[in-house]
PDB file of all heavy atoms in Angstrom:
ATOM      1  N   GLN B 191      -0.998  11.851  11.904  1.00  0.00           N
ATOM      2  CA  GLN B 191      -2.029  11.313  12.820  1.00  0.00           C
ATOM      3  C   GLN B 191      -2.721  10.004  12.287  1.00  0.00           C
ATOM      4  O   GLN B 191      -2.888   9.079  13.033  1.00  0.00           O
ATOM      5  CB  GLN B 191      -2.985  12.331  13.009  1.00  0.00           C
ATOM      6  CG  GLN B 191      -4.083  11.893  14.273  1.00  0.00           C
ATOM      7  CD  GLN B 191      -3.327  11.597  15.580  1.00  0.00           C
ATOM      8  OE1 GLN B 191      -2.537  12.483  16.039  1.00  0.00           O
ATOM      9  NE2 GLN B 191      -3.653  10.325  16.053  1.00  0.00           N
ATOM     10  N   ASP B 192      -3.012   9.920  11.034  1.00  0.00           N
ATOM     11  CA  ASP B 192      -3.610   8.778  10.357  1.00  0.00           C
ATOM     12  C   ASP B 192      -2.595   7.528  10.552  1.00  0.00           C
ATOM     13  O   ASP B 192      -3.017   6.502  10.699  1.00  0.00           O
ATOM     14  CB  ASP B 192      -4.023   9.035   8.861  1.00  0.00           C
ATOM     15  CG  ASP B 192      -5.203   9.993   8.765  1.00  0.00           C
ATOM     16  OD1 ASP B 192      -5.914  10.091   9.802  1.00  0.00           O
ATOM     17  OD2 ASP B 192      -5.290  10.611   7.677  1.00  0.00           O
ATOM     18  N   ALA B 193      -1.350   7.820  10.322  1.00  0.00           N
ATOM     19  CA  ALA B 193      -0.233   6.801  10.380  1.00  0.00           C
ATOM     20  C   ALA B 193      -0.297   6.317  11.704  1.00  0.00           C
ATOM     21  O   ALA B 193      -0.247   5.103  11.986  1.00  0.00           O
ATOM     22  CB  ALA B 193       1.011   7.313   9.853  1.00  0.00           C
ATOM     23  N   HIS B 194      -0.233   7.200  12.647  1.00  0.00           N
ATOM     24  CA  HIS B 194      -0.349   6.716  14.147  1.00  0.00           C
ATOM     25  C   HIS B 194      -1.530   6.054  14.661  1.00  0.00           C
ATOM     26  O   HIS B 194      -1.376   4.973  15.325  1.00  0.00           O
ATOM     27  CB  HIS B 194      -0.121   7.953  15.079  1.00  0.00           C
ATOM     28  CG  HIS B 194       1.439   8.373  15.141  1.00  0.00           C
ATOM     29  ND1 HIS B 194       2.417   7.713  15.788  1.00  0.00           N
ATOM     30  CD2 HIS B 194       1.919   9.504  14.577  1.00  0.00           C
ATOM     31  CE1 HIS B 194       3.505   8.282  15.604  1.00  0.00           C
ATOM     32  NE2 HIS B 194       3.341   9.500  14.891  1.00  0.00           N
ATOM     33  N   ASP B 195      -2.644   6.363  14.076  1.00  0.00           N
ATOM     34  CA  ASP B 195      -3.922   5.637  14.315  1.00  0.00           C
ATOM     35  C   ASP B 195      -3.874   4.256  13.806  1.00  0.00           C
ATOM     36  O   ASP B 195      -4.223   3.332  14.279  1.00  0.00           O
ATOM     37  CB  ASP B 195      -5.123   6.475  13.733  1.00  0.00           C
ATOM     38  CG  ASP B 195      -5.413   7.715  14.466  1.00  0.00           C
ATOM     39  OD1 ASP B 195      -4.838   7.972  15.720  1.00  0.00           O
ATOM     40  OD2 ASP B 195      -6.148   8.597  14.047  1.00  0.00           O
ATOM     41  N   PHE B 196      -3.334   4.201  12.542  1.00  0.00           N
ATOM     42  CA  PHE B 196      -3.211   2.969  11.867  1.00  0.00           C
ATOM     43  C   PHE B 196      -2.316   1.885  12.683  1.00  0.00           C
ATOM     44  O   PHE B 196      -2.486   0.833  12.910  1.00  0.00           O
ATOM     45  CB  PHE B 196      -2.745   3.018  10.470  1.00  0.00           C
ATOM     46  CG  PHE B 196      -2.681   1.789   9.667  1.00  0.00           C
ATOM     47  CD1 PHE B 196      -3.769   1.220   9.004  1.00  0.00           C
ATOM     48  CD2 PHE B 196      -1.486   1.010   9.605  1.00  0.00           C
ATOM     49  CE1 PHE B 196      -3.626   0.141   8.110  1.00  0.00           C
ATOM     50  CE2 PHE B 196      -1.395  -0.205   8.948  1.00  0.00           C
ATOM     51  CZ  PHE B 196      -2.486  -0.701   8.195  1.00  0.00           C
ATOM     52  N   GLN B 197      -1.093   2.528  13.100  1.00  0.00           N
ATOM     53  CA  GLN B 197      -0.124   1.896  13.798  1.00  0.00           C
ATOM     54  C   GLN B 197      -0.817   1.256  15.092  1.00  0.00           C
ATOM     55  O   GLN B 197      -0.490   0.156  15.531  1.00  0.00           O
ATOM     56  CB  GLN B 197       1.069   2.797  14.174  1.00  0.00           C
ATOM     57  CG  GLN B 197       2.085   2.128  15.163  1.00  0.00           C
ATOM     58  CD  GLN B 197       2.956   3.165  15.743  1.00  0.00           C
ATOM     59  OE1 GLN B 197       2.506   4.265  16.023  1.00  0.00           O
ATOM     60  NE2 GLN B 197       4.279   2.729  15.851  1.00  0.00           N
ATOM     61  N   HIS B 198      -1.611   2.114  15.819  1.00  0.00           N
ATOM     62  CA  HIS B 198      -2.274   1.707  17.080  1.00  0.00           C
ATOM     63  C   HIS B 198      -3.180   0.460  16.799  1.00  0.00           C
ATOM     64  O   HIS B 198      -3.144  -0.414  17.643  1.00  0.00           O
ATOM     65  CB  HIS B 198      -3.176   2.840  17.557  1.00  0.00           C
ATOM     66  CG  HIS B 198      -3.816   2.415  18.797  1.00  0.00           C
ATOM     67  ND1 HIS B 198      -3.225   2.419  20.017  1.00  0.00           N
ATOM     68  CD2 HIS B 198      -5.201   2.136  19.018  1.00  0.00           C
ATOM     69  CE1 HIS B 198      -4.040   2.070  21.067  1.00  0.00           C
ATOM     70  NE2 HIS B 198      -5.213   1.921  20.442  1.00  0.00           N
ATOM     71  N   GLY B 199      -3.749   0.148  15.801  1.00  0.00           N
ATOM     72  CA  GLY B 199      -4.627  -0.811  15.375  1.00  0.00           C
ATOM     73  C   GLY B 199      -3.810  -2.084  14.780  1.00  0.00           C
ATOM     74  O   GLY B 199      -4.184  -3.190  15.054  1.00  0.00           O
ATOM     75  N   PHE B 200      -2.714  -1.811  13.925  1.00  0.00           N
ATOM     76  CA  PHE B 200      -2.141  -2.968  13.299  1.00  0.00           C
ATOM     77  C   PHE B 200      -0.634  -2.991  13.482  1.00  0.00           C
ATOM     78  O   PHE B 200      -0.034  -3.801  12.795  1.00  0.00           O
ATOM     79  CB  PHE B 200      -2.371  -2.590  11.803  1.00  0.00           C
ATOM     80  CG  PHE B 200      -3.849  -2.800  11.401  1.00  0.00           C
ATOM     81  CD1 PHE B 200      -4.656  -1.585  11.164  1.00  0.00           C
ATOM     82  CD2 PHE B 200      -4.430  -3.958  11.174  1.00  0.00           C
ATOM     83  CE1 PHE B 200      -5.883  -1.658  10.877  1.00  0.00           C
ATOM     84  CE2 PHE B 200      -5.768  -3.998  10.845  1.00  0.00           C
ATOM     85  CZ  PHE B 200      -6.611  -2.956  10.801  1.00  0.00           C
ATOM     86  N   GLY B 201      -0.156  -2.307  14.351  1.00  0.00           N
ATOM     87  CA  GLY B 201       1.380  -2.327  14.669  1.00  0.00           C
ATOM     88  C   GLY B 201       2.146  -1.679  13.570  1.00  0.00           C
ATOM     89  O   GLY B 201       1.685  -0.887  12.753  1.00  0.00           O
ATOM     90  N   GLY B 202       3.430  -1.886  13.803  1.00  0.00           N
ATOM     91  CA  GLY B 202       4.346  -1.356  12.841  1.00  0.00           C
ATOM     92  C   GLY B 202       5.087  -0.198  13.415  1.00  0.00           C
ATOM     93  O   GLY B 202       4.937   0.104  14.580  1.00  0.00           O
ATOM     94  N   GLU B 203       5.848   0.433  12.528  1.00  0.00           N
ATOM     95  CA  GLU B 203       6.654   1.659  13.094  1.00  0.00           C
ATOM     96  C   GLU B 203       6.340   2.925  12.039  1.00  0.00           C
ATOM     97  O   GLU B 203       6.388   2.725  10.933  1.00  0.00           O
ATOM     98  CB  GLU B 203       8.092   1.373  13.014  1.00  0.00           C
ATOM     99  CG  GLU B 203       8.972   2.516  13.572  1.00  0.00           C
ATOM    100  CD  GLU B 203      10.516   2.091  13.801  1.00  0.00           C
ATOM    101  OE1 GLU B 203      10.749   0.850  13.576  1.00  0.00           O
ATOM    102  OE2 GLU B 203      11.253   3.052  14.031  1.00  0.00           O
ATOM    103  N   VAL B 204       5.960   4.024  12.649  1.00  0.00           N
ATOM    104  CA  VAL B 204       5.843   5.258  11.899  1.00  0.00           C
ATOM    105  C   VAL B 204       7.096   5.896  11.551  1.00  0.00           C
ATOM    106  O   VAL B 204       7.928   6.008  12.321  1.00  0.00           O
ATOM    107  CB  VAL B 204       4.896   6.175  12.613  1.00  0.00           C
ATOM    108  CG1 VAL B 204       4.747   7.503  11.778  1.00  0.00           C
ATOM    109  CG2 VAL B 204       3.464   5.519  12.892  1.00  0.00           C
ATOM    110  N   MET B 205       7.219   6.091  10.271  1.00  0.00           N
ATOM    111  CA  MET B 205       8.451   6.802   9.774  1.00  0.00           C
ATOM    112  C   MET B 205       8.246   7.899   8.761  1.00  0.00           C
ATOM    113  O   MET B 205       7.177   7.830   8.023  1.00  0.00           O
ATOM    114  CB  MET B 205       9.396   5.797   9.182  1.00  0.00           C
ATOM    115  CG  MET B 205       9.866   4.850  10.030  1.00  0.00           C
ATOM    116  SD  MET B 205      11.062   3.726   9.238  1.00  0.00           S
ATOM    117  CE  MET B 205      11.401   2.553  10.402  1.00  0.00           C
ATOM    118  N   ASP B 206       9.118   8.857   8.663  1.00  0.00           N
ATOM    119  CA  ASP B 206       9.026   9.787   7.485  1.00  0.00           C
ATOM    120  C   ASP B 206       9.815   9.214   6.259  1.00  0.00           C
ATOM    121  O   ASP B 206      10.438   8.063   6.435  1.00  0.00           O
ATOM    122  CB  ASP B 206       9.742  11.184   7.868  1.00  0.00           C
ATOM    123  CG  ASP B 206      11.173  10.977   8.233  1.00  0.00           C
ATOM    124  OD1 ASP B 206      11.796   9.987   8.079  1.00  0.00           O
ATOM    125  OD2 ASP B 206      11.708  12.099   8.822  1.00  0.00           O
ATOM    126  N   PHE B 207       9.803   9.884   5.262  1.00  0.00           N
ATOM    127  CA  PHE B 207      10.387   9.357   4.022  1.00  0.00           C
ATOM    128  C   PHE B 207      11.798   9.045   4.126  1.00  0.00           C
ATOM    129  O   PHE B 207      12.257   7.820   3.754  1.00  0.00           O
ATOM    130  CB  PHE B 207      10.196  10.307   2.827  1.00  0.00           C
ATOM    131  CG  PHE B 207      10.923   9.946   1.659  1.00  0.00           C
ATOM    132  CD1 PHE B 207      10.574   8.851   0.776  1.00  0.00           C
ATOM    133  CD2 PHE B 207      12.189  10.489   1.155  1.00  0.00           C
ATOM    134  CE1 PHE B 207      11.255   8.355  -0.265  1.00  0.00           C
ATOM    135  CE2 PHE B 207      12.930  10.096   0.193  1.00  0.00           C
ATOM    136  CZ  PHE B 207      12.437   8.956  -0.611  1.00  0.00           C
ATOM    137  N   GLU B 208      12.675   9.774   4.659  1.00  0.00           N
ATOM    138  CA  GLU B 208      14.138   9.493   4.824  1.00  0.00           C
ATOM    139  C   GLU B 208      14.366   8.281   5.674  1.00  0.00           C
ATOM    140  O   GLU B 208      15.186   7.455   5.336  1.00  0.00           O
ATOM    141  CB  GLU B 208      14.894  10.724   5.225  1.00  0.00           C
ATOM    142  CG  GLU B 208      15.049  11.850   4.389  1.00  0.00           C
ATOM    143  CD  GLU B 208      15.679  11.454   3.173  1.00  0.00           C
ATOM    144  OE1 GLU B 208      16.564  10.721   3.137  1.00  0.00           O
ATOM    145  OE2 GLU B 208      15.184  11.915   2.062  1.00  0.00           O
ATOM    146  N   ASN B 209      13.706   8.153   6.702  1.00  0.00           N
ATOM    147  CA  ASN B 209      13.829   6.972   7.608  1.00  0.00           C
ATOM    148  C   ASN B 209      13.329   5.747   6.934  1.00  0.00           C
ATOM    149  O   ASN B 209      13.913   4.576   7.123  1.00  0.00           O
ATOM    150  CB  ASN B 209      13.249   7.282   9.037  1.00  0.00           C
ATOM    151  CG  ASN B 209      14.161   8.206   9.743  1.00  0.00           C
ATOM    152  OD1 ASN B 209      15.295   8.149   9.859  1.00  0.00           O
ATOM    153  ND2 ASN B 209      13.368   9.117  10.439  1.00  0.00           N
ATOM    154  N   ALA B 210      12.258   5.721   6.314  1.00  0.00           N
ATOM    155  CA  ALA B 210      11.734   4.671   5.569  1.00  0.00           C
ATOM    156  C   ALA B 210      12.677   4.112   4.471  1.00  0.00           C
ATOM    157  O   ALA B 210      12.920   2.996   4.232  1.00  0.00           O
ATOM    158  CB  ALA B 210      10.403   4.839   5.023  1.00  0.00           C
ATOM    159  N   ARG B 211      13.126   5.215   3.827  1.00  0.00           N
ATOM    160  CA  ARG B 211      14.065   4.849   2.643  1.00  0.00           C
ATOM    161  C   ARG B 211      15.418   4.174   3.213  1.00  0.00           C
ATOM    162  O   ARG B 211      15.957   3.240   2.662  1.00  0.00           O
ATOM    163  CB  ARG B 211      14.508   6.181   1.868  1.00  0.00           C
ATOM    164  CG  ARG B 211      15.535   6.029   0.722  1.00  0.00           C
ATOM    165  CD  ARG B 211      15.796   7.339   0.132  1.00  0.00           C
ATOM    166  NE  ARG B 211      16.463   8.223   0.909  1.00  0.00           N
ATOM    167  CZ  ARG B 211      17.852   8.225   1.129  1.00  0.00           C
ATOM    168  NH1 ARG B 211      18.617   7.317   0.559  1.00  0.00           N
ATOM    169  NH2 ARG B 211      18.363   9.085   1.989  1.00  0.00           N
ATOM    170  N   ARG B 212      15.922   4.740   4.323  1.00  0.00           N
ATOM    171  CA  ARG B 212      17.053   4.131   4.982  1.00  0.00           C
ATOM    172  C   ARG B 212      16.892   2.659   5.468  1.00  0.00           C
ATOM    173  O   ARG B 212      17.626   1.878   5.225  1.00  0.00           O
ATOM    174  CB  ARG B 212      17.426   4.954   6.076  1.00  0.00           C
ATOM    175  CG  ARG B 212      18.834   4.717   6.668  1.00  0.00           C
ATOM    176  CD  ARG B 212      19.285   5.760   7.674  1.00  0.00           C
ATOM    177  NE  ARG B 212      19.346   7.134   7.255  1.00  0.00           N
ATOM    178  CZ  ARG B 212      18.436   8.135   7.570  1.00  0.00           C
ATOM    179  NH1 ARG B 212      17.685   7.918   8.595  1.00  0.00           N
ATOM    180  NH2 ARG B 212      18.577   9.314   7.062  1.00  0.00           N
ATOM    181  N   LEU B 213      15.685   2.566   6.043  1.00  0.00           N
ATOM    182  CA  LEU B 213      15.287   1.195   6.544  1.00  0.00           C
ATOM    183  C   LEU B 213      15.313   0.141   5.412  1.00  0.00           C
ATOM    184  O   LEU B 213      15.763  -0.891   5.419  1.00  0.00           O
ATOM    185  CB  LEU B 213      14.077   1.255   7.220  1.00  0.00           C
ATOM    186  CG  LEU B 213      13.619  -0.161   7.883  1.00  0.00           C
ATOM    187  CD1 LEU B 213      13.104  -0.019   9.241  1.00  0.00           C
ATOM    188  CD2 LEU B 213      12.637  -0.928   6.961  1.00  0.00           C
ATOM    189  N   LEU B 214      14.522   0.493   4.319  1.00  0.00           N
ATOM    190  CA  LEU B 214      14.546  -0.405   3.109  1.00  0.00           C
ATOM    191  C   LEU B 214      15.848  -0.593   2.536  1.00  0.00           C
ATOM    192  O   LEU B 214      16.124  -1.795   2.077  1.00  0.00           O
ATOM    193  CB  LEU B 214      13.435   0.261   2.064  1.00  0.00           C
ATOM    194  CG  LEU B 214      11.987   0.097   2.691  1.00  0.00           C
ATOM    195  CD1 LEU B 214      11.033   0.710   1.493  1.00  0.00           C
ATOM    196  CD2 LEU B 214      11.588  -1.297   2.888  1.00  0.00           C
ATOM    197  N   ARG B 215      16.645   0.495   2.290  1.00  0.00           N
ATOM    198  CA  ARG B 215      17.958   0.377   1.719  1.00  0.00           C
ATOM    199  C   ARG B 215      18.773  -0.723   2.573  1.00  0.00           C
ATOM    200  O   ARG B 215      19.363  -1.654   2.009  1.00  0.00           O
ATOM    201  CB  ARG B 215      18.684   1.684   1.584  1.00  0.00           C
ATOM    202  CG  ARG B 215      20.000   1.526   0.949  1.00  0.00           C
ATOM    203  CD  ARG B 215      20.796   2.838   1.158  1.00  0.00           C
ATOM    204  NE  ARG B 215      21.107   2.928   2.554  1.00  0.00           N
ATOM    205  CZ  ARG B 215      21.030   4.175   3.178  1.00  0.00           C
ATOM    206  NH1 ARG B 215      20.805   5.263   2.567  1.00  0.00           N
ATOM    207  NH2 ARG B 215      21.402   4.160   4.486  1.00  0.00           N
ATOM    208  N   ASP B 216      18.826  -0.521   3.829  1.00  0.00           N
ATOM    209  CA  ASP B 216      19.523  -1.407   4.708  1.00  0.00           C
ATOM    210  C   ASP B 216      19.083  -2.801   4.636  1.00  0.00           C
ATOM    211  O   ASP B 216      19.804  -3.718   4.666  1.00  0.00           O
ATOM    212  CB  ASP B 216      19.594  -0.872   6.125  1.00  0.00           C
ATOM    213  CG  ASP B 216      20.353   0.508   6.276  1.00  0.00           C
ATOM    214  OD1 ASP B 216      21.148   0.838   5.327  1.00  0.00           O
ATOM    215  OD2 ASP B 216      20.202   1.155   7.242  1.00  0.00           O
ATOM    216  N   ALA B 217      17.591  -2.962   4.686  1.00  0.00           N
ATOM    217  CA  ALA B 217      17.222  -4.239   4.787  1.00  0.00           C
ATOM    218  C   ALA B 217      17.410  -4.983   3.533  1.00  0.00           C
ATOM    219  O   ALA B 217      17.707  -6.219   3.487  1.00  0.00           O
ATOM    220  CB  ALA B 217      15.634  -4.313   4.904  1.00  0.00           C
ATOM    221  N   HIS B 218      17.387  -4.315   2.351  1.00  0.00           N
ATOM    222  CA  HIS B 218      17.733  -5.045   1.084  1.00  0.00           C
ATOM    223  C   HIS B 218      19.201  -5.084   0.831  1.00  0.00           C
ATOM    224  O   HIS B 218      19.547  -6.286   0.200  1.00  0.00           O
ATOM    225  CB  HIS B 218      17.084  -4.286  -0.026  1.00  0.00           C
ATOM    226  CG  HIS B 218      15.586  -4.485  -0.105  1.00  0.00           C
ATOM    227  ND1 HIS B 218      15.020  -5.620  -0.521  1.00  0.00           N
ATOM    228  CD2 HIS B 218      14.546  -3.789   0.253  1.00  0.00           C
ATOM    229  CE1 HIS B 218      13.707  -5.547  -0.507  1.00  0.00           C
ATOM    230  NE2 HIS B 218      13.306  -4.425   0.007  1.00  0.00           N
ATOM    231  N   SER B 219      19.997  -4.417   1.400  1.00  0.00           N
ATOM    232  CA  SER B 219      21.448  -4.521   1.289  1.00  0.00           C
ATOM    233  C   SER B 219      21.967  -5.713   2.082  1.00  0.00           C
ATOM    234  O   SER B 219      22.701  -6.548   1.740  1.00  0.00           O
ATOM    235  CB  SER B 219      22.171  -3.341   1.637  1.00  0.00           C
ATOM    236  OG  SER B 219      22.211  -3.014   2.981  1.00  0.00           O
ATOM    237  N   HIS B 220      21.269  -5.914   3.258  1.00  0.00           N
ATOM    238  CA  HIS B 220      21.696  -7.111   4.139  1.00  0.00           C
ATOM    239  C   HIS B 220      21.041  -8.375   3.574  1.00  0.00           C
ATOM    240  O   HIS B 220      21.652  -9.409   3.782  1.00  0.00           O
ATOM    241  CB  HIS B 220      21.040  -6.888   5.472  1.00  0.00           C
ATOM    242  CG  HIS B 220      21.873  -5.778   6.202  1.00  0.00           C
ATOM    243  ND1 HIS B 220      23.111  -5.765   6.494  1.00  0.00           N
ATOM    244  CD2 HIS B 220      21.340  -4.707   6.765  1.00  0.00           C
ATOM    245  CE1 HIS B 220      23.430  -4.689   7.076  1.00  0.00           C
ATOM    246  NE2 HIS B 220      22.302  -4.022   7.402  1.00  0.00           N
ATOM    247  N   SER B 221      19.933  -8.293   2.848  1.00  0.00           N
ATOM    248  CA  SER B 221      19.325  -9.505   2.313  1.00  0.00           C
ATOM    249  C   SER B 221      20.109 -10.130   1.133  1.00  0.00           C
ATOM    250  O   SER B 221      20.130 -11.233   0.796  1.00  0.00           O
ATOM    251  CB  SER B 221      17.999  -9.342   1.711  1.00  0.00           C
ATOM    252  OG  SER B 221      17.921  -8.494   0.687  1.00  0.00           O
TER     253      SER B 221
END
């Protein structure tokens, strides 16, 4: 709930650990 509240004020995407790990892995592999 805190993550969603923060997102409401500052944008971004709420994720669990596995999805965050996947996103960062993919972002850095493409870079």
Side-chain angles (χ1 to χ4, degrees):
Q191 185 61 53
D192 291 338
H194 284 288
D195 291 347
F196 184 89
Q197 176 197 35
H198 181 74
F200 296 100
E203 186 175 350
V204 176
M205 296 183 183
D206 63 9
F207 170 71
E208 287 302 323
N209 287 317
R211 184 179 63 82
R212 193 172 303 116
L213 182 138
L214 291 179
R215 183 192 65 220
D216 292 349
H218 286 285
S219 69
H220 292 301
S221 69

